[in-house]
Short mmCIF file of all heavy atoms in Angstrom, two decimals:
data_model
loop_
_atom_site.label_atom_id
_atom_site.label_comp_id
_atom_site.label_asym_id
_atom_site.label_seq_id
_atom_site.Cartn_x
_atom_site.Cartn_y
_atom_site.Cartn_z
N GLN T 1 13.54 3.25 4.42
CA GLN T 1 13.94 3.46 3.05
C GLN T 1 13.98 2.14 2.24
O GLN T 1 13.60 2.08 1.03
CB GLN T 1 15.30 4.14 3.01
CG GLN T 1 15.29 5.57 3.44
CD GLN T 1 14.42 6.44 2.59
OE1 GLN T 1 14.23 6.19 1.37
NE2 GLN T 1 13.79 7.46 3.21
N ASN T 2 14.38 1.04 2.88
CA ASN T 2 14.40 -0.24 2.23
C ASN T 2 13.00 -0.65 1.75
O ASN T 2 12.78 -1.18 0.68
CB ASN T 2 14.90 -1.33 3.17
CG ASN T 2 16.45 -1.25 3.32
OD1 ASN T 2 17.13 -0.45 2.67
ND2 ASN T 2 17.02 -1.97 4.28
N GLY T 3 11.99 -0.37 2.65
CA GLY T 3 10.62 -0.69 2.30
C GLY T 3 10.14 0.09 1.12
O GLY T 3 9.44 -0.41 0.21
N ILE T 4 10.46 1.40 1.13
CA ILE T 4 10.06 2.30 0.03
C ILE T 4 10.66 1.81 -1.27
O ILE T 4 9.99 1.78 -2.31
CB ILE T 4 10.45 3.74 0.35
CG1 ILE T 4 9.78 4.28 1.61
CG2 ILE T 4 10.15 4.64 -0.84
CD1 ILE T 4 8.29 4.40 1.53
N GLU T 5 11.94 1.52 -1.26
CA GLU T 5 12.59 1.09 -2.47
C GLU T 5 12.01 -0.20 -3.01
O GLU T 5 11.87 -0.39 -4.24
CB GLU T 5 14.08 0.91 -2.21
CG GLU T 5 14.81 2.18 -1.95
CD GLU T 5 16.33 1.99 -1.60
OE1 GLU T 5 16.79 0.86 -1.79
OE2 GLU T 5 16.95 2.96 -1.10
N GLN T 6 11.69 -1.13 -2.11
CA GLN T 6 11.12 -2.42 -2.49
C GLN T 6 9.79 -2.15 -3.22
O GLN T 6 9.48 -2.78 -4.20
CB GLN T 6 10.90 -3.32 -1.28
CG GLN T 6 10.36 -4.69 -1.65
CD GLN T 6 10.19 -5.55 -0.42
OE1 GLN T 6 10.50 -5.14 0.69
NE2 GLN T 6 9.81 -6.84 -0.66
N ALA T 7 8.95 -1.28 -2.66
CA ALA T 7 7.64 -0.97 -3.24
C ALA T 7 7.76 -0.29 -4.59
O ALA T 7 7.03 -0.58 -5.52
CB ALA T 7 6.82 -0.13 -2.27
N LYS T 8 8.73 0.67 -4.65
CA LYS T 8 8.90 1.38 -5.91
C LYS T 8 9.39 0.50 -7.04
O LYS T 8 9.11 0.72 -8.25
CB LYS T 8 9.88 2.55 -5.70
CG LYS T 8 9.17 3.66 -4.91
CD LYS T 8 10.11 4.89 -4.83
CE LYS T 8 9.34 6.06 -4.22
NZ LYS T 8 10.20 7.27 -4.09
N LYS T 9 10.11 -0.61 -6.70
CA LYS T 9 10.57 -1.55 -7.74
C LYS T 9 9.36 -2.27 -8.38
O LYS T 9 9.48 -2.76 -9.46
CB LYS T 9 11.54 -2.55 -7.12
CG LYS T 9 12.96 -1.95 -6.94
CD LYS T 9 13.93 -3.00 -6.40
CE LYS T 9 15.32 -2.44 -6.21
NZ LYS T 9 16.29 -3.40 -5.73
N LEU T 10 8.27 -2.35 -7.61
CA LEU T 10 7.04 -2.93 -8.17
C LEU T 10 6.14 -1.87 -8.77
O LEU T 10 5.04 -2.16 -9.17
CB LEU T 10 6.26 -3.65 -7.05
CG LEU T 10 6.87 -4.91 -6.47
CD1 LEU T 10 6.01 -5.52 -5.39
CD2 LEU T 10 7.15 -5.94 -7.57
N GLU T 11 6.73 -0.71 -8.95
CA GLU T 11 6.05 0.45 -9.59
C GLU T 11 4.79 0.88 -8.80
O GLU T 11 3.77 1.26 -9.38
CB GLU T 11 5.72 0.14 -11.02
CG GLU T 11 6.94 -0.07 -11.86
CD GLU T 11 6.62 -0.36 -13.35
OE1 GLU T 11 5.48 -0.57 -13.68
OE2 GLU T 11 7.60 -0.34 -14.15
N ILE T 12 4.83 0.77 -7.49
CA ILE T 12 3.75 1.27 -6.63
C ILE T 12 3.90 2.79 -6.57
O ILE T 12 4.99 3.31 -6.37
CB ILE T 12 3.82 0.67 -5.24
CG1 ILE T 12 3.52 -0.85 -5.34
CG2 ILE T 12 2.87 1.35 -4.25
CD1 ILE T 12 3.74 -1.59 -4.02
N GLU T 13 2.78 3.51 -6.75
CA GLU T 13 2.77 4.96 -6.78
C GLU T 13 2.78 5.51 -5.36
O GLU T 13 2.05 5.07 -4.47
CB GLU T 13 1.55 5.44 -7.53
CG GLU T 13 1.56 6.91 -7.80
CD GLU T 13 0.35 7.39 -8.67
OE1 GLU T 13 -0.35 6.50 -9.19
OE2 GLU T 13 0.15 8.53 -8.72
N PHE T 14 3.63 6.57 -5.18
CA PHE T 14 3.73 7.20 -3.88
C PHE T 14 3.45 8.69 -4.00
O PHE T 14 3.84 9.32 -4.99
CB PHE T 14 5.15 7.07 -3.29
CG PHE T 14 5.41 5.76 -2.63
CD1 PHE T 14 5.73 4.63 -3.43
CD2 PHE T 14 5.30 5.57 -1.31
CE1 PHE T 14 5.96 3.40 -2.81
CE2 PHE T 14 5.56 4.33 -0.67
CZ PHE T 14 5.87 3.27 -1.46
N ILE T 15 2.75 9.25 -3.01
CA ILE T 15 2.55 10.72 -2.96
C ILE T 15 2.83 11.14 -1.51
O ILE T 15 2.37 10.58 -0.59
CB ILE T 15 1.12 11.09 -3.32
CG1 ILE T 15 0.83 10.86 -4.84
CG2 ILE T 15 0.79 12.53 -3.01
CD1 ILE T 15 -0.51 11.07 -5.28
N GLU T 16 3.62 12.16 -1.40
CA GLU T 16 3.92 12.76 -0.09
C GLU T 16 3.00 13.89 0.19
O GLU T 16 3.06 14.96 -0.42
CB GLU T 16 5.41 13.19 0.04
CG GLU T 16 5.78 13.55 1.48
CD GLU T 16 7.28 13.66 1.62
OE1 GLU T 16 8.04 12.91 0.97
OE2 GLU T 16 7.69 14.53 2.50
N ASP T 17 2.03 13.68 1.07
CA ASP T 17 0.98 14.65 1.37
C ASP T 17 0.35 14.24 2.67
O ASP T 17 0.59 13.20 3.22
CB ASP T 17 -0.01 14.71 0.22
CG ASP T 17 -0.73 16.09 0.12
OD1 ASP T 17 -0.68 16.84 1.10
OD2 ASP T 17 -1.35 16.34 -0.95
N GLU T 18 -0.53 15.14 3.19
CA GLU T 18 -1.20 14.87 4.42
C GLU T 18 -2.65 14.69 4.16
O GLU T 18 -3.34 15.52 3.61
CB GLU T 18 -1.00 15.99 5.46
CG GLU T 18 -1.65 15.72 6.79
CD GLU T 18 -1.32 16.81 7.79
OE1 GLU T 18 -0.61 17.76 7.46
OE2 GLU T 18 -1.87 16.79 8.90
N VAL T 19 -3.24 13.56 4.63
CA VAL T 19 -4.67 13.25 4.47
C VAL T 19 -5.41 14.02 5.54
O VAL T 19 -5.12 13.96 6.71
CB VAL T 19 -4.93 11.74 4.63
CG1 VAL T 19 -6.44 11.49 4.57
CG2 VAL T 19 -4.27 11.00 3.43
N VAL T 20 -6.43 14.78 5.10
CA VAL T 20 -7.22 15.60 6.03
C VAL T 20 -8.68 15.17 6.12
O VAL T 20 -9.41 15.54 7.06
CB VAL T 20 -7.18 17.12 5.66
CG1 VAL T 20 -5.75 17.61 5.75
CG2 VAL T 20 -7.69 17.30 4.16
N ALA T 21 -9.18 14.35 5.15
CA ALA T 21 -10.57 13.90 5.24
C ALA T 21 -10.73 12.67 4.39
O ALA T 21 -9.99 12.37 3.46
CB ALA T 21 -11.46 14.99 4.68
N LEU T 22 -11.74 11.86 4.78
CA LEU T 22 -12.08 10.58 4.08
C LEU T 22 -13.58 10.49 3.95
O LEU T 22 -14.30 10.60 4.94
CB LEU T 22 -11.54 9.41 4.82
CG LEU T 22 -11.87 8.00 4.32
CD1 LEU T 22 -11.23 7.82 2.94
CD2 LEU T 22 -11.41 6.92 5.28
N GLY T 23 -14.06 10.35 2.76
CA GLY T 23 -15.49 10.23 2.49
C GLY T 23 -15.85 9.12 1.60
O GLY T 23 -14.98 8.42 1.04
N TYR T 24 -17.13 8.84 1.45
CA TYR T 24 -17.58 7.75 0.61
C TYR T 24 -18.76 8.23 -0.26
O TYR T 24 -19.82 8.54 0.26
CB TYR T 24 -17.98 6.49 1.41
CG TYR T 24 -18.30 5.34 0.53
CD1 TYR T 24 -17.31 4.52 0.08
CD2 TYR T 24 -19.58 5.04 0.21
CE1 TYR T 24 -17.57 3.41 -0.73
CE2 TYR T 24 -19.93 3.97 -0.58
CZ TYR T 24 -18.94 3.17 -1.09
OH TYR T 24 -19.21 2.05 -1.81
N PHE T 25 -18.56 8.29 -1.57
CA PHE T 25 -19.55 8.62 -2.49
C PHE T 25 -19.54 7.66 -3.71
O PHE T 25 -18.83 7.92 -4.68
CB PHE T 25 -19.44 10.05 -2.97
CG PHE T 25 -19.30 11.05 -1.91
CD1 PHE T 25 -18.00 11.46 -1.47
CD2 PHE T 25 -20.39 11.56 -1.18
CE1 PHE T 25 -17.88 12.40 -0.44
CE2 PHE T 25 -20.25 12.47 -0.17
CZ PHE T 25 -18.99 12.86 0.21
N GLU T 26 -20.16 6.53 -3.59
CA GLU T 26 -20.03 5.38 -4.50
C GLU T 26 -18.69 4.74 -4.41
O GLU T 26 -18.54 3.47 -4.44
CB GLU T 26 -20.32 5.84 -5.96
CG GLU T 26 -21.74 6.27 -6.17
CD GLU T 26 -21.98 6.62 -7.65
OE1 GLU T 26 -21.03 6.58 -8.46
OE2 GLU T 26 -23.15 6.88 -7.98
N ASN T 27 -17.63 5.55 -4.28
CA ASN T 27 -16.32 5.03 -4.00
C ASN T 27 -15.68 5.90 -2.88
O ASN T 27 -16.25 6.95 -2.51
CB ASN T 27 -15.40 5.09 -5.24
CG ASN T 27 -15.82 4.11 -6.31
OD1 ASN T 27 -15.64 2.93 -6.14
ND2 ASN T 27 -16.39 4.65 -7.41
N PHE T 28 -14.62 5.44 -2.30
CA PHE T 28 -13.92 6.24 -1.28
C PHE T 28 -13.23 7.47 -1.94
O PHE T 28 -12.68 7.38 -2.98
CB PHE T 28 -12.89 5.39 -0.52
CG PHE T 28 -13.46 4.46 0.45
CD1 PHE T 28 -13.59 3.07 0.05
CD2 PHE T 28 -13.93 4.82 1.67
CE1 PHE T 28 -14.17 2.19 0.93
CE2 PHE T 28 -14.47 3.87 2.54
CZ PHE T 28 -14.64 2.58 2.15
N GLU T 29 -13.34 8.57 -1.22
CA GLU T 29 -12.62 9.79 -1.66
C GLU T 29 -11.70 10.25 -0.52
O GLU T 29 -12.12 10.51 0.58
CB GLU T 29 -13.59 10.89 -1.96
CG GLU T 29 -12.93 12.15 -2.53
CD GLU T 29 -13.92 13.21 -2.96
OE1 GLU T 29 -14.33 13.20 -4.16
OE2 GLU T 29 -14.27 14.01 -2.11
N VAL T 30 -10.43 10.25 -0.86
CA VAL T 30 -9.41 10.63 0.11
C VAL T 30 -8.93 12.06 -0.18
O VAL T 30 -8.44 12.31 -1.26
CB VAL T 30 -8.20 9.67 0.13
CG1 VAL T 30 -7.15 10.12 1.10
CG2 VAL T 30 -8.65 8.25 0.36
N GLU T 31 -9.15 12.93 0.71
CA GLU T 31 -8.74 14.35 0.49
C GLU T 31 -7.47 14.65 1.25
O GLU T 31 -7.36 14.35 2.47
CB GLU T 31 -9.87 15.31 1.00
CG GLU T 31 -9.57 16.72 0.73
CD GLU T 31 -10.64 17.70 1.20
OE1 GLU T 31 -11.76 17.18 1.56
OE2 GLU T 31 -10.44 18.92 1.17
N THR T 32 -6.53 15.25 0.53
CA THR T 32 -5.28 15.68 1.17
C THR T 32 -5.20 17.18 1.14
O THR T 32 -6.11 17.86 0.65
CB THR T 32 -4.06 15.07 0.42
OG1 THR T 32 -3.98 15.70 -0.93
CG2 THR T 32 -4.21 13.62 0.25
N ILE T 33 -4.15 17.76 1.67
CA ILE T 33 -3.98 19.19 1.67
C ILE T 33 -3.98 19.72 0.25
O ILE T 33 -4.50 20.81 -0.03
CB ILE T 33 -2.67 19.58 2.41
CG1 ILE T 33 -2.78 19.26 3.88
CG2 ILE T 33 -2.36 21.04 2.22
CD1 ILE T 33 -1.56 19.55 4.68
N ASN T 34 -3.42 18.92 -0.70
CA ASN T 34 -3.15 19.47 -2.06
C ASN T 34 -4.12 18.89 -3.10
O ASN T 34 -4.22 19.49 -4.23
CB ASN T 34 -1.75 19.20 -2.44
CG ASN T 34 -0.73 19.89 -1.58
OD1 ASN T 34 -0.76 21.11 -1.46
ND2 ASN T 34 0.17 19.16 -0.95
N SER T 35 -4.81 17.83 -2.82
CA SER T 35 -5.63 17.18 -3.88
C SER T 35 -6.65 16.24 -3.35
O SER T 35 -6.80 16.10 -2.10
CB SER T 35 -4.73 16.45 -4.86
OG SER T 35 -5.36 16.07 -6.01
N LYS T 36 -7.37 15.53 -4.21
CA LYS T 36 -8.33 14.48 -3.82
C LYS T 36 -8.12 13.26 -4.72
O LYS T 36 -7.78 13.37 -5.88
CB LYS T 36 -9.80 15.00 -4.02
CG LYS T 36 -10.18 16.12 -3.12
CD LYS T 36 -11.64 16.54 -3.32
CE LYS T 36 -12.07 17.68 -2.41
NZ LYS T 36 -13.47 18.11 -2.65
N TYR T 37 -8.33 12.06 -4.07
CA TYR T 37 -8.07 10.80 -4.79
C TYR T 37 -9.24 9.85 -4.50
O TYR T 37 -9.82 9.89 -3.43
CB TYR T 37 -6.72 10.19 -4.36
CG TYR T 37 -5.58 11.12 -4.47
CD1 TYR T 37 -5.20 11.93 -3.41
CD2 TYR T 37 -4.86 11.21 -5.67
CE1 TYR T 37 -4.13 12.81 -3.52
CE2 TYR T 37 -3.77 12.11 -5.78
CZ TYR T 37 -3.41 12.88 -4.72
OH TYR T 37 -2.38 13.73 -4.84
N LYS T 38 -9.56 9.03 -5.48
CA LYS T 38 -10.66 8.09 -5.35
C LYS T 38 -10.15 6.60 -5.40
O LYS T 38 -9.21 6.34 -6.12
CB LYS T 38 -11.70 8.29 -6.40
CG LYS T 38 -12.44 9.62 -6.28
CD LYS T 38 -13.53 9.76 -7.32
CE LYS T 38 -14.32 11.06 -7.19
NZ LYS T 38 -15.40 11.24 -8.16
N ALA T 39 -10.83 5.71 -4.65
CA ALA T 39 -10.42 4.37 -4.60
C ALA T 39 -11.60 3.44 -4.22
O ALA T 39 -12.56 3.91 -3.56
CB ALA T 39 -9.27 4.14 -3.60
N LYS T 40 -11.49 2.22 -4.61
CA LYS T 40 -12.52 1.28 -4.26
C LYS T 40 -12.39 0.87 -2.81
O LYS T 40 -13.35 0.45 -2.14
CB LYS T 40 -12.46 0.02 -5.15
CG LYS T 40 -12.63 0.31 -6.62
CD LYS T 40 -12.39 -0.93 -7.47
CE LYS T 40 -12.51 -0.63 -8.96
NZ LYS T 40 -12.20 -1.82 -9.79
N ALA T 41 -11.16 0.95 -2.29
CA ALA T 41 -10.89 0.54 -0.87
C ALA T 41 -9.78 1.43 -0.31
O ALA T 41 -8.95 1.93 -1.08
CB ALA T 41 -10.49 -0.92 -0.77
N VAL T 42 -9.78 1.64 1.02
CA VAL T 42 -8.80 2.39 1.67
C VAL T 42 -8.26 1.63 2.88
O VAL T 42 -9.02 1.03 3.63
CB VAL T 42 -9.33 3.76 2.16
CG1 VAL T 42 -8.31 4.50 2.98
CG2 VAL T 42 -9.74 4.66 0.98
N ILE T 43 -6.94 1.64 3.05
CA ILE T 43 -6.32 0.97 4.17
C ILE T 43 -5.60 2.07 4.99
O ILE T 43 -4.75 2.81 4.44
CB ILE T 43 -5.27 -0.09 3.74
CG1 ILE T 43 -5.99 -1.23 3.00
CG2 ILE T 43 -4.49 -0.62 4.93
CD1 ILE T 43 -5.02 -2.28 2.46
N LEU T 44 -5.97 2.19 6.23
CA LEU T 44 -5.36 3.17 7.15
C LEU T 44 -4.21 2.51 7.94
O LEU T 44 -4.46 1.64 8.74
CB LEU T 44 -6.37 3.78 8.12
CG LEU T 44 -7.55 4.53 7.44
CD1 LEU T 44 -8.50 5.03 8.52
CD2 LEU T 44 -7.03 5.70 6.58
N ALA T 45 -3.02 2.87 7.66
CA ALA T 45 -1.83 2.32 8.31
C ALA T 45 -0.92 3.45 8.80
O ALA T 45 0.28 3.54 8.51
CB ALA T 45 -1.04 1.45 7.30
#
């Protein structure tokens, strides 16, 4: 929780969801159970 609070103070965006697929079409596309998101880079942690 301390880590989450520290990140949110920097206005880092959080979404609680489960990632089910990762693809690359010019940019990375991260698919979750509820939606899809695009990014220039993805870090798996």
Side-chain angles (χ1 to χ4, degrees):
Q1 289 299 328
N2 286 351
I4 298 295
E5 291 176 12
Q6 184 179 1
K8 286 185 174 180
K9 284 183 179 180
L10 290 180
E11 299 182 348
I12 293 172
E13 187 176 349
F14 281 81
I15 291 176
E16 190 166 325
D17 206 342
E18 182 176 358
V19 174
V20 296
L22 177 64
Y24 186 82
F25 309 97
E26 295 185 353
N27 291 290
F28 287 99
E29 184 175 271
V30 180
E31 182 179 353
T32 68
I33 292 176
N34 298 303
S35 191
K36 294 181 179 179
Y37 306 92
K38 293 184 177 181
K40 298 175 184 177
V42 173
I43 297 175
L44 300 179

